Amino acid sequence: KEKHKILHQLLQNSTS
Amino acid sequence: GPNNVSMGELDRIAQNIIKSHLETCQYTTEELQQLAWQTHSYEEVKMFQGKPRDVLWQQCAIQITHAIQYVVEFAKRISGFMELCQNDQILLLKSGCLEVVLVRMCRAFNPLNNTVLFEGKYGGMQMFKALGCDDLVSAVFDFAKSLCALQLTEEEIALFSAAVLISTDRPWLMEPRKVQKLQEKIYFALQHIMQKNHMDEDALAKLISRIPTLSALCTLHTEELQAFQQLHPETVNVLFPPLYKELFN
């Protein structure tokens, strides 16, 4: 998960 | 419908994916049509060719990363994707996002003069000469041309993109059955739409036959990146977008 921090973050952000 | 999937459900899946696609494309069809014959001048192409290799690489990495962010948004809006476990969401995006970018690229490709939209206008392969990877660039152009030849509608591009992304071929999936169920439904929806739109009975088979090429292009991209990084490690480490590094490094 640490290796894919940004992707993880993008997935967590609510869909605008 | 096939395998106990009702036509109503297939239609719902198709409509959701088409909507997700249209909402997350960088350019609308109308915008692309307006731009289609705006090509970079000879001087502009010369300017791209005169750039240092690492500068053009960086520029392309930024463009690809930008396109990938839209693909992530596309994935998130597909019904069922966010219901997959987090491991599988990340895995599917990590292995499939560039493939979807390449599928989407055919929308911004003009097969009549073999040009692609880059930095606001269309230009040919020679625009990317300074990257020093002619094989990859020409393979990407060939792929775009071959996909354009199938004359896909926006709906078919949407469903094909989803089918490429939600794939059981990716290793290390934790819930492959769940992914498979979703993928099957997407394929049924794609099949249904293609049967309706195309006289050519083999259209779907031809489309599916492009998938191995997609994965070969991504492998080639990784190899070219590795070769570039050996020569310009500081460019990759300091100047490339973090998301690009996370996905491909």
Side-chain angles (χ1 to χ4, degrees), chain A residues 5-16:
Chain A
K5 215 168 59 191
I6 302 166
L7 194 52
H8 192 252
Q9 217 172 1
L10 288 173
L11 284 164
Q12 291 302 300
N13 290 346
S14 65
T15 299
S16 46

Side-chain angles (χ1 to χ4, degrees), chain B residues 28-29 83 154 237-238:
Chain B
T28 65
T29 324
E83 278 73 64
E154 208 64 60
N237 290 336
V238 180

Side-chain angles (χ1 to χ4, degrees), chain B residues 183-200:
Chain B
Q183 188 187 29
E184 276 173 4
K185 288 178 192 169
I186 294 168
Y187 267 110
F188 287 140
L190 178 60
Q191 187 178 32
H192 180 64
I193 283 202
M194 289 199 77
Q195 275 168 356
K196 210 171 57 182
N197 292 347
H198 293 264
M199 297 296 284
D200 181 0

